[in-house]
């Protein structure tokens, strides 16, 4: 019945209101953003929170603060942090999905002695909170000399047990007859995985790629531990540092909202591009017996 959808419609404004407030705050002046009662729309829209032509580099005037694109940390700007986050997100998402799908293919379609126990070990690892592995991972990264390097941001995020489990369930829909036919044609394991299995898993790939990519894009705790050099700072780290400065400089709230708006764009664009595949992948997983 339609009234059963009422809780859903009540949740929509609760989830969208913070994003709406951030979006309009990015185009408000500092004075208007701090005004009480708040305005629901920018009365005098401005782009100075993104780039302020009146910024001199030293002024404390709230109307002449550096825009988010002008903020510098040890000679590195917002675009550098943005690029770092994009690099980490793209590499970890692509490599982890490909690796997980290959592992799931071998476990499901090319079983070997002990493969069942290996899969069970993966399931057990999913029950452990990620925070439990922080200390041993940090010690390993430190001993390898990877602190303040991209390797520290990339390598630990490549192994994802849940993604292997997800692909293993999706792999059950791939007919064994196709695998046998490809084998009879002389295709090897890698060729079958790449040319036969992956094309059939496109909805599943899109469905799991979005949460994996968003999780990597928003990752804060692990980069906070292994990165303290401005050259390798990711976007969440920089925005977090700016948020910590709000208690000393409330005027920078408008600039922070502009940065948060820019930081949210990749996730929004990713979902808009792959929303059909995302929904199809969820439906396929929900209806699978």
């Amino acid at each position: 019945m339609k009234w059963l959808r009422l809780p859903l419609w009540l949740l929509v404004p609760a989830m969208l209101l913070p994003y709406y407030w951030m979006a309009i705050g990015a185009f408000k002046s500092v004075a208007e953003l701090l005004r009480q009662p708040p305005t629901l729309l920018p009365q005098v829209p401005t782009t100075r929170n993104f780039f302020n032509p009146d910024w001199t580099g030293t002024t404390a005037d709230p109307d002449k603060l550096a825009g988010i694109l002008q903020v510098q940390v040890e000679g590195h700007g917002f675009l550098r942090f943005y690029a770092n986050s994009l690099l980490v997100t793209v590499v970890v998402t692509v490599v982890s999905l490909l690796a997980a799908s290959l592992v799931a293919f071998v476990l499901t379609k090319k079983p070997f002695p002990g493969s069942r126990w290996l899969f069970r070990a993966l399931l057990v690892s999913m029950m452990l909170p990620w925070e439990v592995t922080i200390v041993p991972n940090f010690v390993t990264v430190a001993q390898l000399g990877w602190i303040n390097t991209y390797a520290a941001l990339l390598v630990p995020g490549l192994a994802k047990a849940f993604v292997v489990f997800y692909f293993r369930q999706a792999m059950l829909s791939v007919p064994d007859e196709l695998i046998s036919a490809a084998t009879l044609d002389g295709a090897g394991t890698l060729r079958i995985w790449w040319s036969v299995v992956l094309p059939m898993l496109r909805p599943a790939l899109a469905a799991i790629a979005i949460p994996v990519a968003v999780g990597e894009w928003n990752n804060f705790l692990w980069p906070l531990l292994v990165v303290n050099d401005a050259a390798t700072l990711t976007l969440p780290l920089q925005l977090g540092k700016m948020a910590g400065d709000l208690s000393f400089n409330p005027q920078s709230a408008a600039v922070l909202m502009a940065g948060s708006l820019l930081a949210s764009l990749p996730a929004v664009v990713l979902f808009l591009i792959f929303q059909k595949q995302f929904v199809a992948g969820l439906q396929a997983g929900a209806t699978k017996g």
Side-chain angles (χ1 to χ4, degrees), residues 125-207:
S125 69
M126 291 170 52
M127 302 178 187
L128 299 175
W130 178 81
E131 290 78 8
V132 173
T133 65
I134 287 181
V135 172
N137 279 340
F138 177 80
V139 172
T140 302
V141 168
Q143 290 178 344
L144 291 174
W146 286 356
I147 299 298
N148 285 327
T149 66
Y150 290 109
L153 297 172
L154 296 172
V155 176
L158 298 180
K160 299 185 182 297
F162 174 76
V163 181
V164 175
F165 170 76
Y166 177 85
F167 279 127
R168 191 261 183 186
Q169 298 305 109
M171 205 77 66
L172 296 176
S173 63
V174 178
D176 292 336
E177 292 77 9
L178 285 178
I179 308 299
S180 300
T183 302
L184 291 175
D185 289 339
T189 300
L190 291 178
R191 180 64 182 273
I192 295 173
W193 163 72
W194 181 261
S195 301
V196 178
V197 175
L198 279 185
M200 298 186 66
L201 295 181
R202 286 177 182 174
L205 285 167

Side-chain angles (χ1 to χ4, degrees), residues 78 81-82 84-86 88-89 214-221 223-224 232-244 256 259-260 263:
F78 183 82
F81 312 138
Y82 212 97
N84 288 341
S85 288
L86 280 176
V88 172
T89 300
V214 172
E216 292 299 327
W217 179 259
N218 295 328
N219 194 3
F220 178 81
L221 180 57
L224 179 65
T232 50
L233 279 180
T234 59
L235 193 55
L237 287 182
Q238 175 58 18
L239 292 178
K241 290 183 177 182
M242 293 182 63
L256 180 59
S260 299

Side-chain angles (χ1 to χ4, degrees), residues 230-288:
T232 50
L233 279 180
T234 59
L235 193 55
L237 287 182
Q238 175 58 18
L239 292 178
K241 290 183 177 182
M242 293 182 63
D245 294 336
L246 288 179
S247 58
F248 303 101
N249 186 14
Q251 289 81 9
S252 63
V255 178
L256 180 59
M257 286 192 176
S260 299
L261 179 61
L262 292 177
S264 69
L265 292 181
V268 174
V269 172
L270 184 66
F271 177 76
L272 292 178
I273 293 176
F274 295 105
Q275 58 179 323
K276 292 183 179 179
Q277 294 87 342
F278 179 70
V279 174
L282 293 180
Q283 291 175 342
T287 58
K288 189 179 302 299

Side-chain angles (χ1 to χ4, degrees), residues 59-72:
T59 180
D61 187 342
D63 292 326
K64 296 183 179 180
L65 293 175
I68 189 64
L69 298 177
Q70 297 166 296
V71 173
Q72 295 283 324

